[in-house]
Amino acid sequence: MTGVQRRAQLLDVSRRLFAEKGFEGTSIEEIAARAEVSKPVVYEHFGGKEGIYAVVVDREIQALTGALSGALEGGGHPKVLVERTALALLSYIEASEDGFRILVRDSPVAQATGTFSSLIGDVATQVEHLLADQFTSQGLNPRTAPMYAQMLVGMVALTGQWWLDARRPAKSEVAAHLVNLAWNGLSSLERRPTLTKHAVEESRAKRA
């Protein structure tokens, strides 16, 4: 193999192992054995397990970010944007199961960026202004849009994690149900939501 081919092979092998066992459960020895090379070859290309993990995660982050950003581009009705975003995430999971498994696992301490939670936060930031415009048009407080953006994107992401293993119902049906809850809920938001008196009293009683 050429150097480029060997690097690509090591990335493919490592990606499968990280998806199967996680970062902590994967060793350089396993990567080398599955790739049928010596450990020094892995170190030569990536410097260690942290190095190869960082490259794998960065590639997946770029792929998913590109898919989600593409869904939000071009504008359109907010409901359509929610539909596009849900479908984009589910399509990524469908096409890159190993990659998504890696992203939703905990990253090592040394991995300061590129975590799934930070990615979701970035997507939520992109959604904020869309929700703010929608809130303003409905007479709702646009300053609450960042909080609702986190809720909306988090709901889609967690459903994606569930669907990763369930794979039923079909992708389009899952997306339709996501949008049903998100959009119909958003379209009937109260201007000043409050908890019921019973819920507040019950919470106080449990703390006492």
Side-chain angles (χ1 to χ4, degrees):
M1 286 187 183
T2 65
V4 173
Q5 290 172 330
R6 179 64 72 191
R7 181 181 174 86
Q9 181 216 19
L10 289 171
L11 284 171
D12 287 341
V13 166
S14 300
R15 184 173 178 269
R16 288 194 295 272
L17 282 169
F18 288 136
E20 291 171 14
K21 302 184 176 185
F23 177 81
E24 295 297 338
T26 300
S27 67
I28 288 292
E29 288 80 2
E30 285 181 291
I31 294 171
R34 191 170 292 192
E36 298 182 347
V37 299
S38 63
K39 288 195 295 182
V41 172
V42 182
Y43 287 117
E44 177 186 348
H45 281 276
F46 298 99
K49 187 171 71 168
E50 290 80 4
I52 196 167
Y53 181 86
V55 175
V56 169
V57 169
D58 184 62
R59 286 187 169 192
E60 296 304 326
I61 288 288
Q62 289 184 31
L64 182 51
T65 300
L68 296 177
S69 297
L72 294 170
E73 289 176 356
H77 193 279
K79 183 179 181 181
V80 174
L81 294 176
V82 174
E83 290 175 341
R84 287 184 198 157
T85 303
L87 276 173
L89 177 64
L90 295 174
S91 294
Y92 166 79
I93 293 171
E94 189 174 53
S96 187
E97 181 177 324
D98 283 349
F100 189 71
R101 287 189 187 280
I102 292 169
L103 291 182
V104 298
R105 291 180 188 272
D106 291 335
S107 296
V109 175
Q111 186 74 18
T113 59
T115 63
F116 186 61
S117 59
S118 68
L119 171 65
I120 292 303
D122 291 343
V123 175
T125 299
Q126 295 183 56
V127 173
E128 282 178 21
H129 74 279
L130 300 172
L131 288 184
D133 292 342
Q134 186 69 17
F135 280 23
T136 299
S137 68
Q138 293 186 21
L140 301 169
N141 185 357
R143 287 181 297 180
T144 63
M147 176 172 60
Y148 279 95
Q150 292 286 341
M151 295 175 188
L152 181 60
V153 174
M155 179 182 73
V156 174
L158 285 172
T159 303
Q161 290 185 52
W162 165 79
W163 190 70
L164 175 64
D165 293 314
R167 291 303 177 96
R168 290 178 183 276
K171 175 178 66 178
S172 58
E173 187 175 347
V174 174
H177 282 289
L178 272 169
V179 176
N180 183 39
L181 175 59
W183 184 252
N184 289 327
L186 289 172
S187 65
S188 303
L189 287 179
E190 298 175 356
R191 293 189 180 185
R192 294 178 179 172
T194 58
L195 297 176
T196 63
K197 183 179 179 181
H198 175 73
V200 174
E201 291 175 347
E202 187 177 79
S203 177
R204 288 174 180 168
K206 287 182 178 179
R207 291 199 303 267

